[in-house]
Structure formats: C-alpha cells, structure tokens
Amino acid sequence: AAVKLLGKLGFDVGKIQRQDKESSTDAQGTVIDQAPIKSQKAANNSDIIIVVAKPPSKMVVPNVSGQDPTTATKGLQALGFVVKQLTEQSDTVPLDRIIRTEPLAGTSANYGSTVTLIVSTGPNAVPVPNLVGMTENQARQALQDLNLKTKVGDPVPLPYGNAQDGKVMLQSPVA
C-alpha cells in the first residue's frame, strides 16, 4: 500500500528501497520508519527507503503458569506462537490451570514455533472407602493411609450400650 501511494504521488517506484526490521510491537507488514521523513520535501526521482515490520525471529516464552488455557492460548498466539495442549495430573496445581509450558517460560523460541501448555487435571482422585461401622480411630487411619484429610462431625447421642456407640454412622462423601 505504501509503494502504491508513493507511485500515485509521482515518485519513481523503482527507486523505493524496502528494508525489513524485526518488531514485536508493530503489525507485520506495516511501515515503521522511512527516509526521507514525513513532511520532508523530496524530488520525484529521489531514493526512498521504507522500513517494514517483520516478526522477530526469536521470542521469549512468557510465564503463563496458573492461568486458564483459554487466556494463555490467546496471549501466546498474539505473540506469534502456535499453541497445543497436553494434560498432566498435579496435586498442587488446580484443575484446568497451566502447570508449565514446553519450552519453559523465560526461554527463547522461534517466532511461529509451537508452545505446548501442560494443563492440570487436578489432584489424583482416590475412591473413598466405606467407613460406616468403623471406630473413629479406624476410620481416621483408613483415610490417612489414602492421604485423605478427615473431619469429624458432632457426636450423635445414643442410648447407653448401643452397638453403634463410638462408631462412624454417616460419612461424606459416601463410599
């Protein structure tokens, strides 16, 4: 478009020189500099230099850890990366949040290369055993063996000598 405009203004398009310059902030293909500068007078047969933005050959992969995949994907695509996703179980990163990227955040990657988002499937689910009928200590031990946390509710008053006294009567979640 810039060359056409200069031609319409009477400049010799054969004397227009294009130079490409890497830019991570300007849209690819836009003129980001020129010589002579805007508003400077020049003869129609003058040499004109236009500097056109091109994508940088390398980009630093940003840290998107903890973000949701949609937000991270949009940000990475805006930087010129192709994005794909893989999932991985994590006990520390919540479900549907980014654990890390490959290549790792802070490293350089080629413009247009693929960045893989490793997305958390959340903590590993463990089937809850049936605790009803166990003593409180037995139930605590069974849950501790599975690395599950316990919370004991208020005791239910029972008649003296009831067979359920001191035992788990309800549980949540149910087995």
Side-chain angles (χ1 to χ4, degrees):
V3 173
K4 284 183 184 177
L5 176 61
L6 289 169
K8 284 183 181 178
L9 293 174
F11 288 96
D12 181 354
V13 292
K15 292 197 160 226
I16 299 171
Q17 301 171 34
R18 175 184 167 142
Q19 297 176 354
D20 291 334
K21 183 177 181 182
E22 290 185 3
S23 175
S24 60
T25 57
D26 299 297
Q28 181 178 348
T30 60
V31 176
I32 56 175
D33 201 4
Q34 67 185 53
I37 60 172
K38 179 182 175 184
S39 302
Q40 185 177 358
K41 302 268 184 195
N44 289 7
N45 65 348
S46 298
D47 289 335
I48 306 255
I49 299 170
I50 58 172
V51 180
V52 179
K54 72 174 188 174
S57 56
K58 295 265 186 191
M59 295 287 295
V60 174
V61 177
N63 184 358
V64 295
S65 297
Q67 292 184 13
D68 67 273
T70 302
T71 302
T73 296
K74 287 179 183 176
L76 290 166
Q77 287 174 336
L79 293 174
F81 292 113
V82 174
V83 181
K84 72 176 195 174
Q85 294 182 26
L86 294 176
T87 58
E88 184 176 291
Q89 187 274 323
S90 173
D91 291 330
T92 57
V93 178
L95 175 69
D96 290 329
R97 294 293 168 173
I98 307 301
I99 299 170
R100 67 179 181 286
T101 57
E102 292 175 1
L104 294 174
T107 59
S108 291
N110 290 330
Y111 181 87
S113 63
T114 298
V115 173
T116 302
L117 300 175
I118 310 301
V119 182
S120 175
T121 58
N124 199 8
V126 177
V128 178
N130 184 2
L131 307 171
V132 175
M134 293 183 180
T135 66
E136 181 181 333
N137 287 340
Q138 290 170 330
R140 284 183 183 273
Q141 187 60 52
L143 294 173
Q144 188 176 24
D145 290 347
L146 296 171
N147 291 321
L148 296 173
K149 295 179 182 176
T150 60
K151 181 179 178 186
V152 178
D154 293 330
V156 175
L158 294 172
Y160 179 77
N162 188 301
Q164 292 299 316
D165 192 23
K167 294 187 179 178
V168 176
M169 295 179 64
L170 298 168
Q171 73 179 62
S172 178
V174 295

